Amino acid sequence: MDKVIYMDNAATTQTYPEVVEAMTPYFTEYYGNPSSIYSFAGESKKAVEDARKTIADFIGAKPEEIYFTGGGSESDNWALKATAEAYASKGKHIITSSIEHHAILHTCEYLERNGYEITYLDVDEYGTVNPEDVEKAIRPDTILISVMTANNEIGTIEPIKEIGEIAKKHGVLFHTDAVQALGHIPINVDDMNIDMLSASGHKINGPKGIGIMYIRKGVKIGSFIHGGAQERKRRAGTHNVPGIVGIGKAVELAAKNMESRMEKETKLRNHLIERVLAEIPYSRLNGHRENRLPNNANFCFRFIEGESMLILLDQNGVCGSSGSACTSGSLDPSHVLLAIGLPHEIAHGSLRLTISEKNTMEEVDYTVDKLKEIIERLRSMSPLYEDFVKKEKKEVQ
Ligand SMILES: *Cc1c(COP(=O)(O)O)cnc(C)c1O
């Protein structure tokens, strides 16, 4: 195959041509600053407000509860740092999980260095946070619970509704990083008692560098980026109008076809998982078998070093990842795989394949065929594997 088989949609997605088309006039024709008075700027202002309404409708929020940011990382930083600051007089304790994205975890570490106390909840073998653990961790000085909607590495969907109920019952704010979940599974901020939510354009076929932050009315957090009076004085900086139009269009498309997308991706993913587990010895699926994002598959292969597998897949035109794009390049095994209880040597041999609705069954089959060859080849060069096979044979005799 000459063309690239892209299976790293958790790292980023294609900006859909319809999205680019919707954005283009806001670079070249309607380039006015939405904060300006003259009517020429009215077009840009209207486009921003239309996108805000589309997004609000999609998650069951009010338009004035949607803020535009520079991406998922900024929204996560904002939620944590601004809540910490605004509610410091109530307390300095925050609850999160040990498998959050680094935009959350590294922000928590920053807060720890500044006098806050963080509880990192353990997860079970599938990467699920237990709502009872959340409740047990709440103290009188707890000001925030932040648990992701779905994990970016192993795809596990968290019990957000239950956690939201507990947060509400105890009068603690609840934030969720929904960057991987928005557009892939249904989300409603009222049903789920979500007070703050982060999402990102480039993970849902929108442009890079644009994010969403939902802040429920009544949550008293301040600005994170200081400057002008944009976004009701809560997020300074000239509106990224094309980006906002793009994320609005991406959400509109996601809302329209979420069900068919879920169905298609689930079918491809199940086929991928079933073939790998049946045809590749000493492989395991990471994350929950059913309760996972429709597009996510994450495996460990014993006696395999993740990086070499990725390089050989790349030589065959397949884009995958060994965890999250943010940790690739470092040799540390994924904190998520360690948190679900995998030993270092197994966590090193991980492969994440995240498909899209545009992948085909043929591509999935080609990928599994190549993966089988690659793993056989790598294992044939591994002295550890050779010893292991010898031992197994002896045991059978
Ligand atoms: C990608 C990602 C982010 C960061 O979003 P950016 O828009 O790339 O800053 C945060 N959280 C999760 C779960 C992600 O997958």
Side-chain angles (χ1 to χ4, degrees):
M1 274 195 200
D2 293 332
K3 77 178 200 340
V4 163
I5 298 182
Y6 188 72
M7 294 203 184
D8 200 15
N9 286 276
T12 196
T13 59
Q14 181 200 31
T15 311
Y16 278 163
E18 300 96 304
V19 170
V20 176
E21 203 179 302
M23 290 169 69
T24 307
Y26 293 91
F27 288 104
T28 50
E29 269 176 77
Y30 311 119
Y31 50 82
N33 187 324
S35 305
S36 301
I37 295 293
Y38 36 80
S39 41
F40 172 61
E43 285 294 334
S44 329
K45 186 168 170 52
K46 184 177 177 305
V48 169
E49 296 318 314
D50 286 350
R52 203 187 304 281
K53 172 138 191 359
T54 302
I55 294 160
D57 287 348
F58 186 48
I59 61 169
K62 299 180 196 73
E64 62 272 23
E65 295 173 315
I66 302 294
Y67 298 81
F68 293 109
T69 68
S73 299
E74 184 189 320
S75 298
D76 283 345
N77 271 261
W78 186 10
L80 266 59
K81 290 179 186 166
T83 303
E85 190 180 9
Y87 290 81
S89 62
K90 187 195 166 203
K92 291 191 158 188
H93 179 236
I94 292 170
I95 300 168
T96 189
S97 84
S98 54
I99 61 162
E100 297 295 311
H101 189 272
H102 283 138
I104 295 288
L105 290 179
H106 289 167
T107 305
C108 284
E109 286 161 22
Y110 165 83
L111 289 171
E112 282 180 307
R113 290 193 297 275
N114 286 274
Y116 290 82
E117 219 184 305
I118 317 285
T119 298
Y120 300 93
L121 297 172
D122 286 334
V123 292
D124 69 9
E125 63 189 301
Y126 303 112
T128 313
V129 173
N130 183 346
E132 282 175 26
D133 293 345
V134 176
E135 188 153 34
K136 274 187 233 150
I138 295 175
R139 318 189 310 208
D141 61 341
T142 306
I143 51 173
L144 178 69
I145 297 165
S146 180
V147 174
M148 67 203 320
T149 316
N151 184 265
N152 49 303
E153 291 188 34
I154 57 175
T156 302
I157 298 169
E158 300 298 342
I160 291 307
K161 191 175 159 69
E162 289 82 349
I163 296 171
E165 261 162 37
I166 289 165
K168 192 177 183 186
K169 187 172 116 192
H170 291 269
V172 176
L173 292 176
F174 176 43
H175 166 258
T176 190
D177 174 341
V179 172
Q180 291 291 335
L182 188 81
H184 289 272
I185 54 171
I187 294 177
N188 182 292
V189 290
D190 282 343
D191 285 353
M192 297 172 161
N193 290 307
I194 295 165
D195 295 309
M196 286 174 271
L197 174 144
S198 310
S200 173
H202 74 105
K203 302 285 176 78
I204 54 164
N205 307 104
K208 294 169 179 61
I210 183 79
I212 300 167
M213 172 82 149
Y214 157 77
I215 308 176
R216 183 178 291 282
K217 204 169 166 235
V219 173
K220 291 188 202 60
I221 69 169
S223 196
F224 177 60
I225 304 287
H226 302 279
Q230 292 91 352
E231 297 291 274
R232 293 173 299 286
K233 296 190 183 155
R234 262 179 155 168
R235 203 286 186 177
T238 300
H239 288 97
N240 172 0
V241 180
I244 292 169
V245 169
I247 197 171
K249 187 70 184 178
V251 166
E252 180 195 315
L253 295 173
K256 226 181 271 172
N257 74 358
M258 188 162 67
E259 266 176 45
S260 63
R261 174 195 281 205
M262 283 172 76
E263 204 175 303
K264 182 161 186 224
E265 290 179 351
T266 303
K267 213 189 250 173
L268 292 171
R269 180 205 70 193
N270 287 350
H271 182 68
L272 170 65
I273 291 175
E274 279 153 23
R275 272 203 66 194
V276 167
L277 296 183
E279 297 176 35
I280 303 181
Y282 311 114
S283 57
R284 92 183 280 278
L285 177 72
N286 299 314
H288 201 276
R289 181 66 184 84
E290 277 94 34
N291 194 24
R292 70 189 304 134
L293 289 172
N295 71 341
N296 174 293
N298 187 312
F299 305 100
C300 277
F301 303 101
R302 288 179 68 185
F303 313 104
I304 296 290
E305 208 271 301
E307 301 285 318
S308 1
M309 183 166 46
L310 289 181
I311 291 164
L312 292 173
L313 276 172
D314 180 38
Q315 286 174 3
N316 286 283
V318 179
C319 306
S321 127
S322 63
S324 79
C326 322
T327 40
S328 302
S330 83
L331 282 175
D332 289 340
S334 134
H335 66 286
V336 176
L337 297 181
L338 297 180
I340 62 172
L342 297 184
H344 275 249
E345 69 274 15
I346 291 181
H348 265 301
S350 72
L351 173 68
R352 178 185 73 182
L353 295 172
T354 42
I355 55 177
S356 79
E357 59 186 331
K358 298 214 171 162
N359 285 125
T360 62
M361 212 42 118
E362 198 190 359
E363 289 177 331
V364 170
D365 279 324
Y366 169 87
T367 302
V368 180
D369 291 344
K370 288 295 163 197
L371 189 60
K372 275 171 73 174
E373 288 173 25
I374 289 167
I375 287 178
E376 244 170 69
R377 187 168 140 206
L378 288 173
R379 280 180 178 160
S380 74
M381 301 186 300
S382 156
L384 279 175
Y385 184 65
E386 209 175 301
D387 287 350
F388 173 80
V389 172
K390 266 188 213 151
K391 236 191 247 160
E392 289 257 299
K393 273 196 188 136
K394 246 188 229 153
E395 273 164 24
V396 172
Q397 278 164 3

